[in-house]
């Protein structure tokens, strides 16, 4: 009996963690490939609706993003709780939309300026009012190609309560 | 010389470094949504220009009120029935003479639209309606056009319009000079012209 006891009393052999970095690196590469750097720091809530008649967006350099939604909790003191418009990385008013679009358009290479498209990222619970004002501004700025950015999926999920 | 096994390298901290990198990427990147419903805004019109007259029967009136209720041609409707109603309206083909529609397969109701080219869907939404509802309604209306285009493309070219359009869009850049590409482009345009997307958004009403 004592013979066996002696063998068991030794220290547990260290578990090899050599494969752990491999696993983590795999995760890392997955994230590096599947994601993109954050363009603008979102200051508003932005959950996109789902739709099934979606088309792929143009390549990124032809896109201008406009976000609409409620300010996130930490900004609600400054900007209230009604829907606001975010251009670039700051919250702006409707009247600034035209200037913003024109500045962005002029920054593009000349040959793709006509193909510019505005991607409207509107929070699914926000009201249409702000969006309509923005669209009116876009019309005046002659930015007529727009896109209601939406996730691919069953649109009936939007209306179900 | 006696064989010595190479000493084991301690790789314990490698995992920590990898984790740090991983967390950095998790925080600074987002998974981009790269799809959306395409739409075109009408160019700004000068005030003095009168809009062209459209016959009342060629307009399909869709209203969304502030309670997200759907009013289609003055009748309350569930959103799931909207596509069907829009298809029936667009495909009605009630016109006679030059306005007749040879490829329509609707009821030919003289009180509904003449042909898909004349038919206009008018979407008016209250400012207080939610964006959710708006996108869903818009999506359903676009779907009505897609259904009709698919049907027509299937009849003519044995392929749905969606597939044709996808093929057209993803044609390799180096082979765009070939006659096949031009032929496909013509076919896509033809189907699109048979059922042109005429979706007008009037100024929304104050709620």
């Amino acid at each position: 009996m004592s013979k066996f006891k002696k063998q068991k009393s030794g220290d547990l052999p260290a578990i090899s963690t050599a494969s752990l970095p491999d696993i983590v690196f795999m995760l890392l590469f997955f994230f590096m490939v599947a994601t993109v750097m954050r363009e603008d720091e979102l200051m508003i809530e932005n959950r996109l609706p789902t739709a099934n008649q979606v088309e792929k967006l143009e390549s990124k350099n032809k896109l201008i993003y406009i976000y609409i939604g409620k300010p996130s909790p930490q900004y609600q003191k400054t900007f209230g709780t009604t829907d606001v418009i975010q251009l670039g990385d700051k919250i702006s008013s409707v009247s600034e939309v035209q200037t913003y679009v024109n500045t962005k358009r002029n920054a593009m290479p000349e040959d793709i300026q006509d193909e510019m498209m505005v991607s409207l990222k509107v929070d699914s619970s926000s009201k249409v009012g702000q969006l309509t004002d923005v669209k009116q501004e876009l019309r005046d700025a002659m930015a007529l190609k727009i896109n209601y950015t939406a996730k691919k999926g069953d649109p009936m999920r939007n209306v179900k309560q | 010389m006696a064989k010595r096994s190479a000493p084991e390298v301690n790789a314990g901290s490698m995992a920590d470094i990898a984790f740090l990198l991983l967390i950095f990427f998790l925080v600074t990147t987002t998974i981009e949504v790269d799809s959306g419903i395409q739409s075109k805004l009408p160019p700004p019109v000068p005030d003095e220009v009168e809009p062209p007259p459209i016959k009342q029967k060629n307009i399909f009136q869709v209203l969304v009120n502030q309670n997200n209720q759907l009013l289609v041609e003055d009748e309350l409707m569930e959103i799931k029935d909207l596509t069907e109603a829009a298809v029936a309206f667009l495909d009605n083909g009630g016109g006679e003479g030059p306005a007749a529609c040879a490829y329509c397969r609707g009821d030919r109701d003289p009180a509904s639209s003449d042909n898909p080219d004349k038919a206009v869907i008018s979407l008016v939404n209250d400012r207080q309606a939610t964006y959710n509802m708006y996108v869903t309604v818009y999506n359903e209306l676009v779907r009505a056009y897609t259904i009709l285009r698919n049907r027509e493309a299937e009849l003519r070219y044995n392929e749905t319009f969606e597939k044709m359009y996808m093929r057209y869009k993803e044609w390799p850049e180096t082979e765009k000079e070939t006659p096949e590409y031009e032929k496909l482009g013509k076919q896509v345009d033809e189907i699109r012209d048979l059922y042109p997307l005429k979706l007008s958004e009037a100024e929304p009403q104050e709620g």
Side-chain angles (χ1 to χ4, degrees):
Chain A
M1 280 302 254
S2 62
K3 222 182 190 176
F4 291 108
K5 241 181 195 167
K6 230 179 211 167
Q7 262 183 354
K8 272 196 172 176
S9 69
D11 283 335
L12 272 172
I15 298 167
S16 167
T17 53
S19 55
L20 191 61
D22 299 358
I23 297 164
V24 181
F25 266 119
M26 238 160 52
L27 276 172
L28 175 65
F29 289 143
F30 167 73
F31 272 95
M32 283 174 76
V33 172
T35 62
V36 289
M37 281 284 170
R38 236 182 255 266
E39 192 102 318
D40 307 308
E41 199 55 52
L42 275 187
M43 297 163 82
I44 56 173
E45 285 172 22
N46 206 235
R47 271 174 299 114
L48 296 172
T50 50
N52 56 15
Q53 298 298 307
V54 293
E55 279 176 42
K56 262 189 102 171
L57 287 182
E58 303 273 335
S59 62
K60 249 188 144 181
N61 52 0
K62 295 178 192 165
L63 280 179
I64 296 174
Y65 296 99
I66 293 178
Y67 309 87
I68 300 174
K70 276 192 189 71
S72 353
Q74 69 263 41
Y75 296 111
Q76 280 183 359
K77 261 198 184 133
T78 4
F79 298 107
T81 51
T82 49
D83 301 333
V84 288
I85 301 161
Q86 183 177 344
L87 303 169
D89 42 18
K90 63 174 195 293
I91 289 174
S92 322
S93 68
V94 190
S95 53
E96 285 167 88
V97 171
Q98 278 200 48
T99 338
Y100 178 74
V101 169
N102 284 329
T103 334
K104 281 267 172 183
R105 177 158 45 192
N106 289 335
M108 283 179 189
E110 226 159 84
D111 53 326
I112 60 163
Q113 281 187 5
D114 295 336
E115 293 165 50
M116 175 202 71
M117 186 182 262
V118 179
S119 158
L120 293 164
K121 294 195 165 184
V122 185
D123 187 71
S124 50
S125 62
S126 64
K127 307 271 188 242
V128 187
Q130 284 282 20
L131 174 68
T132 316
D133 297 341
V134 169
K135 281 200 297 197
Q136 190 59 44
E137 290 293 313
L138 289 176
R139 274 178 74 180
D140 293 339
M142 288 304 281
L144 302 178
K145 269 170 90 179
I146 59 165
N147 188 304
Y148 303 110
T149 307
K151 279 181 275 187
K152 233 179 187 154
D154 181 15
M156 291 307 157
R157 281 225 312 264
N158 295 334
V159 276
K160 243 180 246 164
Q161 296 306 312
Chain B
M1 219 178 159
K3 255 191 191 168
R4 261 206 287 168
S5 57
E8 206 176 304
V9 179
N10 185 8
S13 53
M14 182 125 95
D16 299 354
I17 297 166
F19 264 121
L20 271 176
L21 276 171
L22 177 64
I23 289 162
F24 169 74
F25 268 92
L26 277 174
V27 171
T28 56
T29 63
T30 46
I31 295 179
E32 196 83 339
V33 181
D34 64 344
S35 57
I37 306 178
Q38 233 81 291
S39 169
K40 247 192 174 154
L41 294 172
V45 273
D47 288 335
E48 63 268 25
V49 176
E50 284 277 311
I54 303 171
K55 268 194 247 168
Q56 193 55 45
K57 68 169 188 168
N58 279 329
I59 300 177
F60 187 69
Q61 185 73 254
V62 181
L63 282 161
V64 180
N65 75 359
Q66 75 260 48
N67 300 324
N68 287 338
Q69 283 165 318
L70 196 63
L71 199 69
V72 178
E73 299 276 65
D74 297 328
E75 273 171 54
L76 267 176
M77 191 180 269
E78 292 281 319
I79 193 142
K80 62 179 194 308
D81 305 322
L82 180 63
T83 309
E84 213 176 304
V87 167
F89 165 80
L90 292 169
D91 204 28
N92 177 56
E96 280 166 3
C101 168
Y103 51 90
C104 296
R105 268 178 292 127
D107 300 332
R108 309 207 174 267
D109 178 3
S112 189
S113 78
D114 283 339
N115 62 39
D117 189 42
K118 288 243 169 81
V120 174
I121 295 181
S122 158
L123 173 60
V124 179
N125 50 280
D126 193 279
R127 285 184 72 92
Q128 296 298 311
T130 62
Y131 182 64
N132 246 340
M133 188 65 185
Y134 174 77
V135 163
T136 314
V137 168
Y138 202 94
N139 182 68
E140 292 304 290
L141 292 176
V142 174
R143 195 155 71 90
Y145 283 99
T146 313
I147 288 173
L148 289 170
R149 284 172 175 177
N150 276 349
R151 195 191 69 191
E152 209 53 40
E154 216 72 78
L155 266 181
R156 285 170 196 235
Y157 307 114
N158 271 326
E159 195 181 8
T160 62
F161 177 76
E162 275 169 314
K163 274 198 194 133
M164 281 170 73
Y165 187 63
M166 188 98 89
R167 230 154 39 94
Y168 181 66
K169 271 242 158 157
E170 282 166 14
W171 204 271
E173 201 66 45
T174 49
E175 288 164 43
K176 285 211 166 157
E177 301 286 300
T178 55
E180 284 93 4
Y181 177 73
E182 278 163 28
K183 195 172 143 220
L184 183 65
K186 269 208 190 105
Q187 288 174 353
V188 166
D189 284 343
E190 183 194 331
I191 302 289
R192 232 195 307 223
D193 287 344
L194 289 177
Y195 291 101
L197 202 152
K198 295 201 171 174
L199 227 168
S200 123
E201 284 178 64
E203 305 299 313
Q205 291 153 351
E206 286 296 332

